Amino acid sequence: MRLKTSLSKEPKHKELVSCVGWTTADELYSCSDDHQIMKWNLLTSETTPVAKLPDIYPIDFHWFPRSVGGKKQTHAENFVLTSSDGKFHLISKMGRVEKSIEAHCGAVLAGRWNYEGTALVTVGEDGQIKIWSKSGMLRSTLVQQGTPVYSVAWSPDSGKVLYTSGKQLIIKPLQPNAKVLQWKAHDGVILKVDWNSVNDLILSAGEDCKYKVWDSYGRLLYSSQPHEYPITSVAWALDGELFAVGSFHTLRLCDKTGWSYALEKPNTGSIFNIAWSIDGTQIAGACGNGHVIFAHVVEQRWEWKNFEITLTKRRTMEVRNVINDAMDLLEFRDRVIKASLNYGHLVVSTSLQCYVFSTKNWNTPLIFDLKEGTVSLILQAERHFLLIDGGGIYIYSYDGRLISSPKFPGMRTDILNAQSVSLSNDTLVIRDKADEKVIYLFEALTGKPLGDGKPLTHKTEIVEIALDQKGLTNERKIAFIDKNRDLYITSVKRFGKEQKIIKIGTMVHTLAWNDAANILCGLQDTRFTVWYYPNTVYVDKDLLPKTLCEKDASEFSKNPQIVRFVGNQVTIRRADGSLIHLSVSPYPAILHEYISSSKWADAVRLCRFVKDQTMWACLAAMAVANKDMTTAEIAYAAIGEIDKVQYINSIKDLPSKESRMAHILMFSGNIQDAETLLLQAGLIYQAIQVNINLYNWNRALELAVKHKTHVDTVLAYRQKFLEDFGKKETNKQFLQYAEGLEVDWDKIKAKIEMEIAKERERAASTPPVRTSVTVQH
Amino acid sequence: MARELLGGAGLYFDELNKLRVLEPGVAQQTAELREECKAFVDKIAEFQKIVGSLIELVDQLAKAAESEKMKAIGARNLLKSIAKQREAQQQQLQALITEKKMQLERYRVEYETLCKIEADQNEFIDQFIFQK
């Protein structure tokens, strides 16, 4: 990625430019010490003076936010301008000063609208922070301190402000008495801060010539090398993927993790202010020598399998097929804003249209118009893709048909990113921003909430979510990482009973599902872990550690991110920005393929060929999950789990299909389901016996009493159990029923024999029905 | 006689017998003086002209010298600052080089991992063939 800068020949302003701000993607306003406000139209490359404000030396400038309360305004209508005489001015787009308000003693150093546009914060040389209403009425003086406040930023929920105090950064909630977070951030005075609303990360820059990235708890994520001159400006791109850094004769483009994509050394003097355009494709900088510098982000790259795509110019992409070195040029009518390459399709959004290319044919894209220009996120699944713009979420098929447009109350699309949204062929999940513990689940094809419409709720805040991509809709799984960096997995389908949310990993920084099989990979602490069959937790939890593949990942340094997991290749981005490719064994994917087409014999042969414990463990879990007990027996034998082999054998000897099913369910730990199944089949005795075997005495007795059968059996077993352990009966219920009941083992055994015979008879009389579930002998 | 008498009264006759109050000799001398004075004045005027042009010339020279001097000072300053400029330029280039180096390092790491993958895959293929 690179910046393509452009500077006009002669500076348009006579004095230093102090601040800039975009109204649309192609229109910029700039203010200068020569008292002029200029408007820059990039389409016609014209510069026109908007207004002259005598006696005002502008310092900071911020447009009123565009989206207010869900209603979209296409243009920003007015802005706040702070000046050195202690006033701030509300100025209309036409340059008319609507209001000038005396705010601070000394210069007003910064003024920011909150994201909803309901409040304005100003900070001054007098060390005060004041909150104002939309119309400029003073609401409160939030802070009074001894040093000037150079910069201020709102938190994503507009409930806190971040400000500078010398070398310290302070986060102060608007509510009184709430906890203030304060830390020493730089070795010099901090000049600029910015807080991104999408990724919740904080940027700071100071006179110690460094810029730093922090999370919202004040933990340092990145600290740059010292530069030659103080850093005078930093700014996040709206989507939070990139940020720009400005200094004397310096403009830098950085990734959100801090490492720098590109450095430019334009002849600008100090860059006092940087603003990103709304579509995130270009930046403008206010230069100390009266120039306004424009810089375009170009040369983004997308890779997928054998294709490599580079955005060479604003409207041109170059596609390279690395297998035969064939080159294709893709030309677009407008500027490219976002693109995504996956599942054999390239989706490109420009300011007006969306293009869908197939990797098989680059010549004839499918083109459709977009409702609103600025797409902020494109996510792809195998059969369709998702576009998010300021107005909503839209799922389109690859032939350009709008499939659905899911909605939920309080939806804010501008803050969704790839970590908080995940799409699969049948499901869409979105992590809510208002309550980060909640995940909304949607059917992708209809856009309706899944099942009973209740969202998935976790006990702590969720950081990252991901859906598996393959397999049946009923078995769709979602993996997510919570705030404590624990990795959980759960089923998306939530009919009736609550599905368990099972923890399968700790200290997980990042995760990704494979595109072709339900294999999950993640970075756990200092290890790279692949869960070859995460579904194991629902089948045989003890087996999970055996289905993992772990590699040392300490060489990836701090905070690596998984970029993609395509085929058997994992791509990881290290904190310094370098890409690392890892290959994982191709066999588990093949095994997944065999299982999905029920080729059990092939699967067993593959495992024998590979001779790997992990593979056998996966096969065992898969076989149990699909209730193929023969294969399960072979697989368990191969990994030496003799107890399980024995149990499987005992299941095979069971007389009827129902009880075999029940025991398979018990095998995977679903005792409740097993009991229900037996009761439904009318096998009361077997249900009671299951509970007895589990020492679940109360339930056994309850069932016996309810169905008026085998009460004596339960009591007999209970008595035997108590005798074995040399204990006395204390349970009141048992005491009550034991009264006047003689335990006669012969009678009981005869009764049990009879029950089993009855079951066998029944099984024989009903003709075997072909079902999807088969238990082979 | 009469001439003496007239002379006594301060009256004289010149060669044209015109009555004069000044002695002809003196008159002649006066006239000569006048002539000489005239010549002198002329000469002085000419001298002044010459001196004027000389001054002008000298002034011009002075101006030229002055401007040359300024130029020299400027050049000297420029020379001094060019060193600084070069230094700044060098610094800028150095920063750009560092940036490129970092990019190169990133590519190197990526290349190494890709090489490793290639080796792994070759090994896998060999193993596969061998086992078959």
Side-chain angles (χ1 to χ4, degrees):
Chain A
M1 220 177 279
R2 201 166 63 81
L3 281 176
K4 198 166 141 194
T5 56
S6 64
L7 269 177
S8 53
K9 280 198 192 76
E10 288 297 315
K12 300 275 193 228
H13 283 288
K14 291 180 201 74
E15 299 280 332
L16 70 85
V17 184
S18 52
C19 39
V20 287
W22 296 85
T23 49
T24 63
D26 298 296
E27 193 181 66
L28 180 96
Y29 276 54
S30 65
C31 298
S32 157
D33 270 5
D34 63 4
H35 313 297
Q36 283 280 9
I37 299 177
M38 294 271 214
K39 183 161 88 174
W40 304 68
N41 189 329
L42 299 192
L43 293 177
T44 57
S45 35
E46 270 174 7
T47 314
T48 41
V50 175
K52 195 167 173 77
L53 308 167
D55 313 327
I56 291 178
Y57 288 92
I59 291 178
D60 192 25
F61 161 98
H62 194 210
W63 281 99
F64 191 74
R66 294 205 314 152
S67 60
V68 179
K71 273 185 280 175
K72 297 296 294 181
Q73 291 166 280
T74 43
H75 305 289
E77 285 306 323
N78 61 355
F79 58 90
V80 60
L81 182 87
T82 69
S83 60
S84 57
D85 55 0
K87 286 182 184 162
F88 71 84
H89 314 270
L90 298 174
I91 300 175
S92 78
K93 202 174 174 221
M94 307 311 295
R96 195 160 52 85
V97 180
E98 282 166 355
K99 226 171 209 180
S100 288
I101 294 143
E102 195 76 48
H104 291 268
C105 217
V108 188
L109 296 175
R112 297 274 120 181
W113 291 107
N114 70 0
Y115 290 99
E116 287 84 39
T118 50
L120 169 75
V121 62
T122 60
V123 296
E125 270 180 335
D126 54 359
Q128 293 193 343
I129 298 179
K130 289 181 175 172
I131 309 282
W132 307 80
S133 76
K134 191 181 163 187
S135 55
M137 299 289 284
L138 179 65
R139 282 218 190 113
S140 61
T141 301
L142 194 65
V143 177
Q144 274 178 304
Q145 63 173 29
T147 51
V149 183
Y150 286 104
S151 187
V152 68
W154 286 95
S155 72
D157 59 359
S158 300
K160 295 174 205 160
V161 288
L162 164 75
Y163 63 94
T164 70
S165 168
K167 298 171 186 177
Q168 310 249 345
L169 280 180
I170 301 171
I171 296 177
K172 186 166 170 74
L174 292 190
Q175 289 166 319
N177 308 327
K179 206 175 139 249
V180 175
L181 188 66
Q182 176 172 359
W183 72 95
K184 180 174 182 266
H186 284 262
D187 294 325
V189 173
I190 300 170
L191 298 175
K192 225 24 168 228
V193 292
D194 198 9
W195 196 342
N196 187 262
S197 64
V198 176
N199 59 22
D200 204 15
L201 298 179
I202 292 168
L203 270 177
S204 65
E207 285 194 338
D208 59 353
C209 308
K210 288 179 182 176
Y211 60 88
K212 296 184 180 186
V213 184
W214 312 85
D215 71 3
S216 55
Y217 304 102
R219 283 180 298 210
L220 180 68
L221 300 181
Y222 182 83
S223 170
S224 77
Q225 292 295 315
H227 291 60
E228 302 91 59
Y229 300 99
I231 311 281
T232 44
S233 53
V234 282
W236 279 110
L238 286 184
D239 64 0
E241 291 297 317
L242 299 170
F243 64 86
V245 176
S247 174
F248 180 73
H249 281 350
T250 304
L251 189 62
R252 217 180 240 288
L253 178 72
C254 300
D255 186 73
K256 66 175 173 190
T257 48
W259 59 277
S260 120
Y261 276 108
L263 173 71
E264 290 292 325
K265 290 277 185 184
N267 195 15
T268 54
S270 286
I271 297 178
F272 290 111
N273 191 312
I274 296 177
W276 281 84
S277 73
I278 285 133
D279 56 14
T281 58
Q282 55 189 336
I283 52 180
C287 310
N289 58 4
H291 275 293
V292 171
I293 187 170
F294 291 95
H296 235 92
V297 181
V298 290
E299 288 186 15
Q300 286 113 305
R301 287 159 60 87
W302 295 267
E303 280 172 35
W304 183 76
K305 292 200 172 160
N306 53 326
F307 291 101
E308 216 176 61
I309 298 180
T310 315
L311 183 73
T312 47
K313 285 181 214 148
R314 281 174 220 195
R315 297 190 189 93
T316 314
M317 276 183 171
E318 195 181 88
V319 182
R320 186 161 167 242
N321 184 343
V322 280
I323 288 181
N324 53 14
D325 243 343
M327 300 280 248
D328 284 281
L329 270 189
L330 312 180
E331 300 272 351
F332 301 93
R333 219 174 63 189
D334 309 292
R335 196 171 53 239
V336 172
I337 292 176
K338 282 268 174 277
S340 168
L341 173 67
N342 212 341
Y343 296 105
H345 287 91
L346 169 71
V347 182
V348 180
S349 77
T350 66
S351 45
L352 295 171
Q353 288 167 318
C354 181
Y355 293 70
V356 182
F357 294 88
S358 163
T359 51
K360 294 188 192 92
N361 179 6
W362 295 107
N363 297 324
T364 46
L366 191 119
I367 305 170
F368 60 90
D369 287 343
L370 290 168
K371 284 178 195 150
E372 198 177 342
T374 42
V375 169
S376 60
L377 183 67
I378 303 174
L379 275 185
Q380 285 181 272
E382 197 184 351
R383 288 192 208 132
H384 41 241
F385 63 95
L386 173 103
L387 292 183
I388 296 184
D389 66 17
I393 302 168
Y394 309 99
I395 297 174
Y396 287 93
S397 66
Y398 284 114
D399 47 29
R401 194 165 44 84
L402 177 68
I403 295 177
S404 65
S405 161
K407 282 186 185 70
F408 59 89
M411 180 170 82
R412 266 184 69 188
T413 55
D414 54 330
I415 49 175
L416 295 174
N417 63 2
Q419 273 76 49
S420 55
V421 185
S422 182
L423 180 72
S424 75
N425 278 340
D426 42 53
T427 317
L428 167 73
V429 292
I430 300 170
R431 200 272 322 268
D432 190 20
K433 190 77 186 180
D435 183 359
E436 296 189 343
K437 296 170 189 166
V438 172
I439 301 174
Y440 289 103
L441 314 164
F442 298 96
E443 277 178 41
L445 298 179
T446 59
K448 292 201 182 86
L450 250 183
D452 54 2
K454 263 207 327 224
L456 171 71
T457 312
H458 186 56
K459 49 187 190 293
T460 44
E461 282 83 356
I462 293 161
V463 180
E464 191 172 343
I465 58 178
L467 281 173
D468 64 355
Q469 296 295 325
K470 282 283 168 171
L472 302 168
T473 311
N474 279 334
E475 287 164 12
R476 184 67 55 233
K477 298 275 186 300
I478 175 170
F480 60 86
I481 303 174
D482 72 2
K483 207 176 78 180
N484 304 327
R485 291 282 159 199
D486 290 332
L487 172 63
Y488 292 86
I489 188 164
T490 187
S491 173
V492 166
K493 284 273 170 190
R494 314 184 70 72
F495 26 50
K497 69 188 167 79
E498 195 71 4
Q499 281 283 340
K500 277 180 282 180
I501 299 177
I502 302 176
K503 181 160 135 182
I504 57 170
T506 50
M507 293 286 288
V508 181
H509 309 297
T510 167
L511 82 167
W513 285 98
N514 186 255
D515 65 331
N518 285 340
I519 300 174
L520 179 70
C521 73
L523 284 161
Q524 254 193 107
D525 201 11
T526 57
R527 285 161 301 136
F528 170 71
T529 309
V530 185
W531 288 266
Y532 283 135
Y533 189 56
N535 196 27
T536 311
V537 288
Y538 286 101
V539 178
D540 186 351
K541 210 176 170 187
D542 313 329
L543 206 57
L544 184 71
K546 290 193 179 168
T547 63
L548 301 185
C549 163
E550 293 203 320
K551 283 180 190 169
D552 182 46
S554 47
E555 55 179 316
F556 303 160
S557 69
K558 208 174 82 174
N559 284 332
Q561 290 290 321
I562 297 177
V563 183
R564 60 183 162 261
F565 184 12
V566 173
N568 52 13
Q569 195 162 329
V570 185
T571 308
I572 296 169
R573 201 179 272 287
R574 259 176 18 174
D576 68 353
S578 46
L579 286 171
I580 290 178
H581 303 274
L582 282 177
S583 64
V584 298
S585 161
Y587 295 123
I590 302 171
L591 192 64
H592 271 278
E593 219 168 275
Y594 281 145
I595 303 310
S596 62
S597 50
S598 293
K599 290 181 184 157
W600 296 102
D602 289 341
V604 171
R605 209 173 308 132
L606 176 72
C607 288
R608 287 204 174 115
F609 173 73
V610 181
K611 295 190 202 72
D612 182 23
Q613 292 283 302
T614 320
M615 287 287 282
W616 282 114
C618 290
L619 181 63
M622 288 168 178
V624 175
N626 290 291
K627 308 200 167 51
D628 188 296
M629 295 326 264
T630 321
T631 315
E633 191 186 339
I634 301 169
Y636 273 115
I639 51 171
E641 303 245 352
I642 304 304
D643 48 341
K644 282 169 185 164
V645 176
Q646 283 217 321
Y647 189 71
I648 293 169
N649 272 327
S650 76
I651 293 175
K652 281 188 187 170
D653 294 337
L654 288 171
S656 77
K657 203 187 76 196
E658 285 85 2
S659 49
R660 282 194 296 262
M661 273 299 299
H663 278 270
I664 293 169
L665 281 172
M666 292 238 307
F667 184 87
S668 5
N670 297 328
I671 294 155
Q672 194 65 44
D673 289 353
E675 194 199 279
T676 320
L677 188 87
L678 285 171
L679 289 176
Q680 272 171 358
L683 300 169
I684 313 294
Y685 159 69
Q686 277 76 1
I688 294 171
Q689 188 62 46
V690 160
N691 278 309
I692 291 173
N693 290 347
L694 291 167
Y695 303 107
N696 199 354
W697 300 109
N698 285 339
R699 178 68 185 154
L701 187 67
E702 193 190 317
L703 281 175
V705 171
K706 192 175 154 200
H707 296 278
K708 299 195 179 59
T709 173
H710 286 287
V711 179
D712 54 344
T713 317
V714 179
L715 290 171
Y717 274 104
R718 171 81 173 179
Q719 211 170 44
K720 191 163 165 252
F721 159 76
L722 290 172
E723 270 168 24
D724 288 351
F725 286 86
K727 284 190 173 170
K728 277 212 159 298
E729 182 63 82
T730 50
N731 191 318
K732 271 186 192 152
Q733 265 192 317
F734 277 93
L735 283 170
Q736 183 197 334
Y737 285 106
E739 245 172 68
L741 204 95
E742 201 61 38
V743 174
D744 183 351
W745 274 104
D746 291 339
K747 218 170 97 186
I748 290 166
K749 274 188 185 139
K751 228 162 110 180
I752 293 172
E753 285 294 323
M754 202 181 73
E755 286 281 359
I756 292 170
K758 208 164 77 188
E759 189 187 336
R760 193 161 287 141
E761 212 169 274
R762 222 181 59 141
S765 65
T766 48
V769 185
R770 275 191 71 86
T771 57
S772 59
V773 182
T774 52
V775 179
Q776 296 157 4
H777 286 273
Chain B
M1 193 48 205
R3 210 176 274 253
E4 272 149 35
L5 270 171
L6 277 169
L11 293 171
Y12 306 96
F13 287 95
D14 65 358
E15 300 94 69
L16 302 170
N17 291 326
K18 275 188 179 165
L19 197 65
R20 299 263 176 178
V21 283
L22 206 62
E23 222 178 303
V26 176
Q28 198 185 343
Q29 272 173 7
T30 308
E32 270 167 26
L33 184 64
R34 197 183 63 205
E35 284 302 306
E36 269 173 32
C37 277
K38 209 181 203 169
F40 177 72
V41 165
D42 281 354
K43 272 184 187 157
I44 286 292
E46 200 178 334
F47 176 69
Q48 200 172 5
K49 217 165 88 192
I50 290 166
V51 165
S53 71
L54 182 70
I55 286 172
E56 214 169 277
L57 205 72
V58 168
D59 271 357
Q60 268 174 12
L61 274 176
K63 255 183 209 157
E66 196 66 26
S67 81
E68 282 306 311
K69 215 159 81 186
M70 287 313 280
K71 261 187 203 162
I73 291 170
R76 200 182 294 159
N77 283 350
L78 214 65
L79 194 67
K80 266 185 204 160
S81 75
I82 212 93
K84 268 186 190 162
Q85 249 181 48
R86 286 270 170 260
E87 210 173 292
Q89 246 169 20
Q90 199 184 351
Q91 217 175 38
Q92 284 189 8
L93 288 174
Q94 204 64 47
L96 288 170
I97 289 169
T98 322
E99 192 68 19
K100 289 268 180 256
K101 264 189 188 159
M102 270 159 74
Q103 184 58 39
L104 199 66
E105 172 65 18
R106 286 201 278 267
Y107 284 140
R108 192 190 60 76
V109 170
E110 189 174 350
Y111 176 71
E112 262 175 25
T113 61
L114 284 171
C115 283
K116 217 164 130 192
I117 282 194
E118 192 189 2
D120 281 355
Q121 281 178 349
N122 280 334
E123 196 187 327
F124 178 81
I125 291 167
D126 288 348
Q127 208 180 9
F128 203 74
I129 292 166
F130 177 70
Q131 279 194 355
K132 283 264 159 148

